[in-house]
Amino acid sequence: MYFPQLLLLCAALIAGLVGPAPAAVARPPAETVVDVRAFGADPSGRRDSAGVAKEAVRHAKEVRGPVRIVFPRGTYQLYPEQAELRELYVSNTVGPDEAYKDKRIGILLEDMADVTVDGDGSHLQFHGLMTSFAAIRSRNVEVRNFSFDYTTPKVVDTAVSDAGVADGRAYRILTLPVGSRFAVGDRRVTWLGETSPATGQPYWSGVDGMQYTQIHDPVAQRTWRANNPLFDNVAAMTDLAYRKLRIDYHTQTAPTDHGLVYQMRQTTRDTPSALLWESRDVTVRGLKARY
């Protein structure tokens, strides 16, 4: 015999015992991967990848939901001519004449959220005068797994590798890092930045001690600001090749700075190395500078 009322009562009792069906668990939105190679980036390090990396980041900005910009393992060259150009008024880098208000930026994340820049163990080689990375009005940003370096940075490091007196004249021999470029003439040295492939001219240049010097003692692990004596009272200057420069002086007093390192630069600060502006929850991990 069929009792529909009884069946409804049993169903109600079972529902009361079991409770309501669990609500579906919301899954986080899937992450979209943007591979810079799809835009023409060259992981072999033979071609400039700045322009296509810019296009990859711009594309990622249009993606809805979390996005990961990947530089698959390799070496990527980034020159300033094709990099992102942004007008920025950064403290200590823009003077009254606004000559340096336009900044070239290798990787610019602007008005973005939930974005990861993943180097996958790659190396980024920056050239010329450019900011490596900037996050502007962005949130939930992670940058990871890169090494990086600048070719011929706008700072000259030179170590006094030998000093003494010879033939009645004091002398120093300066040793410079790999990649240093300079020209000697008329008892002066002109420091040269890397040559731009676009213009054929160095990105920057400076003479002798430039305007600012720090001195580092690698034994005592101490660094201080001081006057630069390297280019005072010079009698002769000789390029010894192999990144060595000999300076002879009119004085007969032997220098006492053997082993010290002179770090010289101009006082113009045209380019910040990296920039975070009005951004939050920015994480940087697995990055290392290659020297």
Side-chain angles (χ1 to χ4, degrees):
M1 187 176 293
Y2 180 56
F3 299 100
Q5 293 85 356
L6 181 59
L7 292 175
L8 289 173
L9 178 60
C10 291
L13 289 171
I14 293 172
L17 292 172
V18 175
V25 177
R27 294 183 178 180
E31 181 182 64
T32 301
V33 175
V34 175
D35 188 331
V36 297
R37 294 176 305 181
F39 295 80
D42 178 17
S44 73
R46 290 189 291 268
R47 300 191 312 273
D48 180 15
S49 292
V52 292
K54 172 179 66 180
E55 296 305 318
V57 174
R58 288 183 176 183
H59 173 77
K61 187 174 179 178
E62 302 302 319
V63 172
R64 296 185 61 182
V67 61
R68 180 161 55 98
I69 304 165
V70 180
F71 287 75
R73 181 166 298 189
T75 296
Y76 297 86
Q77 308 291 341
L78 291 98
Y79 286 83
E81 287 81 5
Q82 300 300 319
E84 196 71 75
L85 179 64
R86 179 69 159 78
E87 183 176 319
L88 289 172
Y89 292 80
V90 182
S91 176
N92 289 336
T93 71
V94 178
D97 60 0
E98 299 186 346
Y100 304 105
K101 63 184 177 63
D102 294 326
K103 314 294 188 189
R104 291 288 181 175
I105 304 171
I107 301 173
L108 171 61
L109 307 182
E110 185 168 8
D111 297 315
M112 298 180 71
D114 304 317
V115 56
T116 298
V117 182
D118 187 351
D120 189 34
S122 290
H123 177 73
L124 300 187
Q125 188 69 28
F126 293 97
H127 301 263
L129 304 176
M130 64 187 302
T131 294
S132 58
F133 169 81
I136 298 175
R137 292 187 305 271
S138 295
R139 59 183 175 82
N140 296 335
V141 173
E142 182 175 355
V143 183
R144 67 190 188 202
N145 300 334
F146 283 107
S147 66
F148 68 95
D149 196 4
Y150 278 85
T151 301
T152 319
K154 200 177 177 181
V155 174
V156 176
D157 282 6
T158 182
V160 181
S161 55
D162 192 11
V165 177
D167 299 324
R169 284 182 173 175
Y171 73 90
R172 290 182 177 93
I173 294 180
L174 309 181
T175 300
L176 293 123
V178 174
S180 300
R181 301 179 64 241
F182 61 90
V184 172
D186 193 26
R187 295 179 296 171
R188 303 176 75 189
V189 57
T190 300
W191 309 108
L192 300 169
E194 181 185 11
T195 299
S196 164
T199 67
Q201 299 298 315
Y203 286 114
W204 62 270
S205 65
V207 177
D208 290 346
M210 296 192 278
Q211 292 91 35
Y212 177 92
T213 298
Q214 288 188 163
I215 304 174
H216 175 66
D217 185 339
V219 175
Q221 288 295 295
R222 189 169 68 92
T223 302
W224 64 96
R225 300 178 184 181
N227 293 328
N228 188 334
L230 299 182
F231 306 99
D232 294 340
N233 208 18
V234 173
M237 191 176 293
T238 308
D239 182 353
L240 300 178
Y242 302 106
R243 298 178 286 109
K244 290 185 181 295
L245 176 66
R246 179 182 175 115
I247 304 177
D248 291 278
Y249 303 92
H250 290 293
T251 179
Q252 297 182 3
T253 304
T256 59
D257 52 1
H258 184 194
L260 298 185
V261 177
Y262 289 81
Q263 302 166 332
M264 303 171 291
R265 66 169 174 82
Q266 296 167 340
T267 53
T268 301
R269 298 179 178 179
D270 46 60
T271 307
S273 178
L275 173 67
L276 302 180
W277 180 32
E278 294 185 351
S279 296
R280 59 185 177 87
D281 299 325
V282 178
T283 302
V284 178
R285 61 185 179 90
L287 264 65
K288 58 182 178 180
R290 181 188 293 179
Y291 297 106

